[in-house]
Amino acid sequence: MALKKVSEKQIDQAIQDLHELAYNLWHSWNPAAQRIFQELSPFFWEDTNHNSVEVMNWISGPELKGRLQNPDFFTRVAAVCKSYRDYMKPKGTWADKHATALKHAPVAYFSAEFGLHESLRIYSGGLGILAGDHAKSASDLGLPLYGISIFYRQGYFRQQTSNEGWQQEFYPTFDPARLPLRPVNDKKGNRIICSVPIGNTNVDFQAWAVGVGRVTLFLLDTNLPQNSQFYRDLSAHVYGGDQVNRIGQEILLGIGGVRLMRKLGINPSIFHMNEGHSAFLTLELLREQLQAKKPLVEAQAFVKKHCVFTTHTPVPAGHDKFDRGLMEAHLGPFASSMGMSIDDMMAYGRVHQESPGEGFTMTVLALKMCRVANGVSELHGRVSQEMWKDLYPDIQVSKVPIGAVTNGVHITGWTSPTASQFWSTQLGPKWIEKFRDGKYWKETLESKKLSDAELWGLRTALRRELVEFARRRLREQNLRHNTNDVAMYDNILSPDVFTIGFARRFATYKRAPLLFRDLGWAIKVLTDKEKPVQIIFAGKAHPRDDAGKHFIQEIINITKRVDLFGRVVFVEDYDINVAKYLVSGADVWLNTPRRPMEACGTSGMKVMMHGGLNLSTMDGWWREAYDGENGWKIGEDTTASSDQLQDDLDAASLRAVLENQVIPLFYDRGKDGIPHNWLKRVRHAMASLVPVFNTDRMVVDYTQKMYLPEGSKRK
Ligand SMILES: *Cc1c(COP(=O)(O)O)cnc(C)c1O
């Protein structure tokens, strides 16, 4: 079929649309849109970690015009832009039907980090990814929601490792003009400036807007010339600083976030605190009420009615706590401005009101000032009830008002382009609307229409993509280390070998080296001639977590052993892009947190759409998800009397399950070379997990349990 000639006017429109599209991360969950930017400049697309704005910046007007003269390319651009425009003007979304009460009373979702896309490095780990996926699903569901976070000019650190395997951190500075950010201006086009009180200083901040489909995320930024250098740097790093930096950032996020909403005329009915970092927002809301001459009791009730809180941390040490001196220095004048002494204010963050030595805990503030609170899995909900029971001395632990909403992942955002193409071909483009439908998935996955051969075809394609990605990255890493023969990295790993993925923050409770506790066993199993195994690791340790860095070093030392060379690799600089390759290519996703430290965990959910299987301790989401046949468990659903004992038991269980069940099943092949019994498990895993552990289900849960006003209709 001959394509029609493209008119000048159509081209101008397409150029305008492409510029618009570059600034909306909607493209991060739409492979056809990604392909457009990739095609425009394959080099800059790779080189900038898939940054659409950079690609557009690097292409001249005349070139873009020329490229669009190609009718084939133009047709695809026009189709993508049309689906974007249709998406942005929705009719009949889920929220239109089921959350009408929020239509003119949106949710303001506060999170210290947002993991939306690999080009926007303002996240450190799971908390941020969850916030990003929450925003994407809110957009898909048509839920009126604004995100509030911080523009970290240097983000979280970039990771390299030294020749000795020790983590090195470095911090490139971002230029906002080269990111999918737009300045937040008033109607006249002037930059909006707000301020927050930190001690006796009024610190000014500006804001940037990020389009996340229909949702807007606002990023607060103190890097303004009128601030002292000290305060310009306040928002430089994600969790980078000391206590002084931390409290300043949290004042910016909580108090500043509310002030920005007011300045913009946005009137949220719900303030959702994703973790305690933003809990100072409750004090700002309280101040507003007191300023409007409400009596304290009423003012508090008002704040409580509009705030909801999600806790994420199952250990006391993980909760921000500020001592009285620090609080007085930073919030003393703010307390006075609302007619409070610093001790009055301290009481809001203390478990025991009258204990003068007790610090101010952000989680306590959030719990005292919210309408409902939740943990992020059923077990974590219970652990949180136990942790905070002293706040509710008059009730039983099981009645402590902390519920549970189990996390999910944003399915289309985490489905690789290859897998997405596969499902579209198999099921039609409708699969995107259907993954929440358990019956549909079950029937689809049990139907003969989807053959084992095709499913295996997907697995082998994805495994090769991962192996080649790892080879490329290992080659680059080792060029830096002046390795003489980097060509040998072209042949490490194998697309035919059973592949385990392990990638996450290198917090010690996640126990990355667990598999190597019996090194002799590991060498024997990994290098087996008939049934070999390979493992790809990635992950960052927090800059001040030396124990975590030792774990990285231990893994890197293993990757350098002659007897394991090319079988175990460590890919540096874990981020969303690395995660995407790993979760799609791995046959098994290994997860070894020490129970019950993993509040939920989400990386294992990302393998579902790619035909990967989970092998995990019975912690977080997995103890809810595991049904005996949709993956494997390590150890039991119990906690041992000591960490040492727990580690021994779990390591032994991991070895046994791998050696006796997982590996033999993978290599159990039919005459056609296909592991039919393995694929049976894969089908069952997809059917049972996809409809539940996704953020559409999660955001619906949040809307029904936490966002909708009491008494409004709940379906
Ligand atoms: C999914 C993800 C995480 C969170 O994974 P967990 O399993 O919860 O540890 C962290 N970092 C990145 C880059 C991710 O993609």
Side-chain angles (χ1 to χ4, degrees):
M1 187 183 73
L3 291 157
K4 265 210 254 142
K5 210 171 161 304
V6 186
S7 77
E8 188 89 4
K9 200 163 148 239
Q10 286 173 306
I11 289 180
D12 288 345
Q13 182 64 47
I15 290 174
Q16 211 181 322
D17 287 352
L18 274 179
H19 279 287
E20 184 59 36
L21 191 60
Y23 280 93
N24 194 310
L25 294 175
W26 174 83
H27 65 70
S28 71
W29 66 100
N30 288 277
Q34 291 155 32
R35 219 167 302 130
I36 301 288
F37 292 114
Q38 178 182 32
E39 239 176 286
L40 277 171
S41 170
F43 174 78
F44 279 117
W45 179 250
E46 273 319 306
D47 204 47
T48 62
N49 219 4
H50 314 141
N51 183 334
S52 48
V53 169
E54 279 281 66
V55 167
M56 294 303 284
N57 285 349
W58 283 104
I59 292 194
S60 70
E63 183 195 338
L64 195 53
K65 213 161 180 171
R67 302 285 297 275
L68 288 162
Q69 307 279 6
N70 174 343
D72 168 58
F73 186 58
F74 174 85
T75 309
R76 279 180 296 122
V77 170
V80 163
C81 292
K82 180 171 185 319
S83 38
Y84 172 65
R85 275 196 308 268
D86 291 348
Y87 180 89
M88 295 301 281
K89 288 204 190 73
K91 283 190 216 84
T93 61
W94 178 85
D96 284 342
K97 286 192 210 115
H98 302 282
T100 38
L102 300 173
K103 187 137 198 177
H104 301 291
V107 175
Y109 182 95
F110 284 65
S111 180
E113 44 171 317
F114 266 85
L116 288 159
H117 187 257
E118 53 266 30
S119 67
L120 192 57
R121 300 173 183 275
I122 52 167
Y123 61 93
S124 117
L127 182 73
I129 305 288
L130 181 77
D133 283 5
H134 191 113
K136 291 175 187 175
S137 273
S139 168
D140 289 346
L141 293 167
L143 192 75
L145 181 137
Y146 294 94
I148 291 109
S149 191
I150 294 177
F151 177 57
Y152 302 100
R153 196 167 73 252
Q154 299 189 324
Y156 199 52
F157 69 93
R158 303 287 302 271
Q159 179 196 52
Q160 294 184 344
T161 57
S162 71
N163 279 332
E164 289 73 44
W166 194 251
Q167 172 176 293
Q168 320 272 293
E169 299 100 23
F170 66 111
Y171 295 89
T173 301
F174 309 136
D175 174 356
R178 298 165 71 173
L179 291 171
L181 306 176
R182 281 185 163 145
V184 176
N185 295 335
D186 62 18
K187 293 212 174 70
K188 292 195 198 120
N190 297 319
R191 196 77 203 227
I192 285 183
I193 304 289
C194 303
S195 69
V196 284
I198 303 183
N200 285 312
T201 311
N202 266 322
V203 178
D204 282 354
F205 67 89
Q206 57 186 351
W208 303 92
V210 186
V212 187
R214 300 163 193 147
V215 163
T216 301
L217 165 64
F218 294 108
L219 299 175
L220 317 185
D221 175 11
T222 57
N223 185 27
L224 288 171
Q226 62 266 44
N227 290 332
S228 65
Q229 194 59 43
F230 183 78
Y231 286 120
R232 293 184 74 158
D233 291 341
L234 180 66
S235 52
H237 298 151
V238 186
Y239 311 135
D242 52 12
Q243 285 280 91
V244 168
N245 181 261
R246 184 60 80 94
I247 196 171
Q249 285 191 345
E250 297 188 357
I251 290 170
L252 173 66
L253 177 64
I255 298 176
V258 174
R259 292 189 177 181
L260 180 72
M261 292 288 100
R262 301 301 184 222
K263 194 90 154 207
L264 292 170
I266 297 171
N267 192 16
S269 66
I270 293 291
F271 292 83
H272 186 166
M273 297 170 266
N274 185 43
E275 190 54 298
H277 308 118
S278 58
F280 287 141
L281 75 85
T282 62
L283 297 180
E284 172 65 3
L285 294 176
L286 189 65
R287 190 192 63 77
E288 288 178 341
Q289 292 301 304
L290 294 174
Q291 197 174 31
K293 302 280 184 271
K294 286 256 190 71
L296 183 63
V297 178
E298 258 177 59
Q300 278 174 194
F302 176 91
V303 176
K304 267 186 96 140
K305 190 171 152 211
H306 294 283
C307 292
V308 304
F309 171 50
T310 303
T311 179
H312 288 265
T313 313
V315 273
H319 294 257
D320 277 325
K321 195 173 197 170
F322 302 123
D323 64 35
R324 191 181 175 284
L326 196 71
M327 283 290 288
E328 186 165 28
H330 291 84
L331 284 169
F334 178 72
S336 317
S337 77
M338 55 204 280
M340 277 187 194
S341 71
I342 195 64
D343 287 299
D344 294 338
M345 188 169 277
M346 290 299 289
Y348 286 91
R350 283 179 177 151
V351 178
H352 307 281
Q353 304 275 6
E354 306 302 332
S355 62
E358 190 182 323
F360 185 100
T361 303
M362 295 300 275
T363 300
V364 174
L365 172 64
L367 285 170
K368 285 188 179 182
M369 299 295 265
C370 72
R371 181 175 87 203
V372 264
N374 70 293
V376 288
S377 68
E378 190 261 333
L379 178 63
H380 177 240
R382 278 197 277 127
V383 168
S384 302
Q385 287 180 315
E386 183 63 37
M387 257 177 81
W388 302 108
K389 63 182 178 201
D390 288 354
L391 264 177
Y392 313 88
D394 303 328
I395 52 181
Q396 286 176 312
V397 178
S398 64
K399 296 273 158 43
V400 165
I402 302 178
V405 176
T406 304
N407 289 343
V409 292
H410 182 254
I411 298 284
T412 45
W414 284 107
T415 303
S416 83
T418 301
S420 178
Q421 179 67 47
F422 176 83
W423 292 115
S424 294
T425 307
Q426 293 288 330
L427 314 174
K430 281 266 185 285
W431 76 267
I432 286 171
E433 288 153 36
K434 290 247 166 140
F435 61 78
R436 281 171 56 203
D437 182 343
K439 190 160 158 283
Y440 172 83
W441 271 106
K442 194 157 182 300
E443 282 167 12
T444 301
L445 289 156
E446 282 169 359
S447 110
K448 289 237 162 47
K449 273 195 289 186
L450 174 63
S451 71
D452 274 2
E454 285 165 310
L455 201 48
W456 190 238
L458 172 68
R459 286 297 321 135
T460 46
L462 293 173
R463 200 182 307 106
R464 171 160 285 275
E465 285 177 10
L466 170 57
V467 165
E468 296 199 341
F469 172 75
R471 286 175 179 170
R472 227 167 32 239
R473 290 290 290 254
L474 266 290
R475 189 185 230 271
E476 281 166 24
Q477 285 170 213
N478 285 287
L479 269 173
R480 217 185 54 237
H481 290 167
N482 295 321
T483 310
N484 291 329
D485 185 11
V486 286
M488 68 187 174
Y489 289 95
D490 295 348
N491 290 312
I492 57 164
L493 305 169
S494 159
D496 294 311
V497 166
F498 171 61
T499 304
I500 299 178
F502 182 104
R504 44 185 52 85
R505 289 181 301 114
F506 264 61
T508 48
Y509 77 84
K510 296 191 185 235
R511 300 186 297 186
L514 197 70
L515 191 71
F516 300 103
R517 230 171 148 79
D518 179 345
L519 190 59
W521 174 89
I523 294 169
K524 180 187 77 158
V525 167
L526 281 136
T527 59
D528 189 277
K529 286 271 176 319
E530 312 276 291
K531 298 175 184 150
V533 178
Q534 60 195 6
I535 312 180
I536 305 179
F537 283 94
K540 294 172 171 180
H542 187 277
R544 277 195 299 270
D545 178 10
D546 274 2
K549 292 186 197 177
H550 276 292
F551 273 16
I552 292 178
Q553 191 172 40
E554 200 176 325
I555 298 296
I556 288 186
N557 285 340
I558 287 168
T559 68
K560 289 181 178 164
R561 290 179 64 94
V562 177
D563 46 9
L564 287 176
F565 183 78
R567 277 284 133 96
V568 187
V569 302
F570 182 88
V571 175
E572 292 173 355
D573 207 23
Y574 182 46
D575 70 353
I576 290 176
N577 184 44
V578 175
K580 281 180 181 163
Y581 277 100
L582 271 156
V583 298
S584 57
D587 296 293
V588 156
W589 195 251
L590 178 64
N591 186 36
T592 51
R594 193 182 288 132
R595 191 184 177 285
M597 300 284 288
E598 185 86 315
C600 180
T602 55
S603 56
M605 302 173 192
K606 301 170 192 164
V607 309
M608 302 183 296
M609 295 306 297
H610 306 100
L613 291 169
N614 276 276
L615 167 59
S616 172
T617 48
M618 293 296 271
D619 199 5
W621 77 289
W622 190 238
R623 52 182 291 290
E624 290 162 46
Y626 177 68
D627 69 1
E629 308 204 328
N630 54 2
W632 293 272
K633 67 171 177 173
I634 301 165
E636 296 303 323
D637 191 10
T638 52
T639 299
S641 55
S642 75
D643 286 355
Q644 171 73 28
L645 181 60
Q646 183 82 62
D647 295 356
D648 287 342
L649 290 172
D650 288 345
S653 166
L654 170 58
R655 290 193 293 270
V657 177
L658 260 183
E659 193 168 4
N660 304 329
Q661 299 181 44
V662 182
I663 301 170
L665 193 67
F666 182 85
Y667 285 108
D668 170 18
R669 303 295 168 94
K671 284 210 186 69
D672 50 8
I674 294 173
H676 296 281
N677 290 324
W678 180 272
L679 293 176
K680 199 170 153 207
R681 217 166 247 262
V682 167
R683 286 171 191 264
H684 177 59
M686 278 190 210
S688 62
L689 302 176
V690 171
V692 183
F693 298 98
N694 65 75
T695 39
D696 281 10
R697 185 273 309 152
M698 181 188 86
V699 171
V700 168
D701 278 358
Y702 273 109
T703 305
Q704 292 174 338
K705 292 185 184 174
M706 327 259 295
Y707 296 164
L708 285 172
E710 302 288 345
S712 85
K713 198 164 172 202
R714 295 181 185 190
K715 278 195 218 156

